[in-house]
Amino acid sequence: MTGALYGLARFCGRHRFWILTVWLVAAVALVGVSHRLGDNTNDNLTLPGTGSQHATDALAKSFPDQSNGTSPIVLHVSNGKLTDSKYASAVNQAAADVAEAPDVASVVNPLTSQGAAALSKDQATGYLSVTLSVNPGQLSKDDAQTIIDAAAKPAEAAGIQVETGGQLGQKVSTPSTEISELIGIIAAMVILTLTFGTVVAMLLPILTAILALASTLSIITILGHAITVSTVAPTLATMIGLGVGIDYALFIVTRHLRGLNDGLDLRESIARAVATSGGAVVFAGSTVTIALVSLAVANIPLVTTMGLMAAIAVIVAVLAALTLLPAMLSITGPRINSLRVRGRHPGRRDPAHPHKGLWARWAEGVARHPVIAVVAALAILIPLAVPLLSLNLGQKDIAALSTSTTERRAYDLISQNFGPGVNGPLIIAVSLGSPAQASSSSSSSSSSGSSGSQGSDPRATDPRLQTLQNDVSTTHGVAAVTPVQIDKAGTTAYFNAIATTGPADQATADLVSTLRSSVIPAADKGTNMTAYVGGTTAGYADLASVIASKLLLQILVVIALSFVLLLLAFRTVVVPVQAAVMNLLSIGAAYGVLTALFQWGWLHGLIGLDSAVPVVSYVPLFMFAVLFGLSMDYEVFLVSQIKEHVDEGQDYTRSVISGLVTSAVVITAAASIMVFVFGGFVLNGDPTVKQFGIGLAVAVILDATIVRCLLVPARMVMLGKHAWYLPRWLGRILPRISIEGAEYFQARDQLTAAASQAQDSAPGPSPLVNAKDS
């Protein structure tokens, strides 16, 4: 691989302007196409084998619109009633206009008998129940806004407040990430300037990462029209793409500056930087990508697409670092040292005093007292991980969104006037073994109405359905049930159950479990019907359950893959095992902090929350894949430096000191950039994004400081030569892989020296030959 990267870098250096042009044209084209297509994201809750999926499948044929969900458009007046003549006509017009809007299957007007349950007791608040004719994922933000505007235009003209929830509200309530991105970029610029000591060198990683990120987000937007892309995927891709994009470029620029300081020719320095540090970038990027793609093992479409989209960000960042960056380095040339500020760039080394300075003193202290260092590190990490023991996986809490979003305002109005459970009704889907017997009386005349109700059917007097509905309605935690709806064939029916608690509350998840484990089985017993609990709320409860059951498998798969990669890289079985344990410690501590801040509500005001919120089920799973991959970056960079000094003949303790001194500045600089990039997203209004940002930031800072600069070096010193143990039989079958290609350049330099020596010792050609050849 080293030779291929060396040749690639030379090619990009020679054709620097063409490479830059190709990247710019490709980025502009991708951005243009994606902008024209528009955003098309959707949180796909397809979960094979779960109760919510069975409910969706049962309703798919008889009630296809029901599977597309219902979105409430809330209408509220501060003075008077919606039934007043000055408001009633506007409400009716709004309902009529929405019904005629594209992609709308039906609308239930709260001022009609059919929608009476959607009008509050004081008649000041009501909501249009909008059922879509298409999957919400097929709607763009503009499509959703068109439907909302159809209601808002006549309603707002009459002085009615209009807010939108459900899928429509979610489409138009996605918080912007520009401020978070800007904070990350500004912080990275400051850190890179201090690290390199030159403004020009600082700009190269920033420009490379921005161009790669623009291309990535455009690719994700385009893919959203071919596959289901979750709503949070672009934000996660932004966080990861920006972070690794800057870090990967940092590694290569650092090596290039070192090459220039050692007297290498400009293009040779660029080529060697890409061939050496670029090899580490490829290895690190491959590790992160494998970890992200391995999320598919969980067989959860929502999580799988999140991993794939983030993996695209990593791949594009690696490609930019290996092609675009060397072209820009070649264009910049010796001007890379222009606009110098105070400080010494990481490429400059002092051969007279190789072990002087803060990091040298730190490394020597760790080497002298490794046991104390290990105990100190564990004393920090283990207490932070303790809250993890009480972690409960939940779902996104709309009540924690910013009040600047229409989705949150709609949620609050519905909760205050109809009860929090109306924001996430449970769908009881029933497959009937034989057609229900028709009857002239209604079985649901005493049932409380709610969203989505379209009136009762005489055939709903089927005693089986009556028993089921009565049992559900009397279950603790159920506020009301809607009338039974049954298809014309009499084979499928459904009704809604409204919980007394909000969709994200643990009590609601417990209610879903109770209905499935006892209430429904008791009602089904002795009949030939089968009932399922579905809907978005139940779907997220199933998601949490599935993730909890798959989390251990995911952890084992990622650890196994990482073990193999490190085994190939360093030819030792000890370092991979140690890396797995260290990574689990740092990730466990990050999980603990996440649990304390969000689930327990510690310091919630400082992170922009009103109270405690559930840890969204897929956050820990995704965090594990990302963090395990990123922590491997620092492990590879540190251990490769230690191994380089071991190969040079230093004793094992001195090699650890030298390796830490060499790598600490770059590791801490790279980690600092990651922390600011991730941490900047705490300003995002979406609590799920806050969880990702804080969780990733905490894990990176713990991993880069406590683990890589304290725990790992101490353990390496304690292990000594045993850190490099490899069974002979395994050594014979393992291929030899050099991450940074030291052997390649040693052999290349030896051949060059031998050829030069042979040329010098050979008899020179005659003057006539020289004249003729010239």
Side-chain angles (χ1 to χ4, degrees), residues 224-271:
H225 293 269
I227 61 177
T228 300
V229 175
S230 65
T231 54
V232 78
T235 301
L236 293 178
T238 299
M239 296 168 65
I240 295 167
L242 191 60
V244 301
I246 296 174
D247 274 11
Y248 292 164
L250 164 64
F251 295 152
I252 293 176
V253 173
T254 298
R255 184 58 69 99
H256 171 54
L257 292 173
R258 184 186 301 175
L260 292 178
N261 186 63
D262 290 342
L264 290 177
D265 171 71
L266 173 66
R267 292 192 177 180
E268 181 66 14
S269 176
I270 295 172

Side-chain angles (χ1 to χ4, degrees), residues 489-509:
T491 58
T492 306
Y494 80 90
F495 61 91
N496 291 342
I498 310 302
T500 57
T501 50
D505 292 343
Q506 182 60 40
T508 306

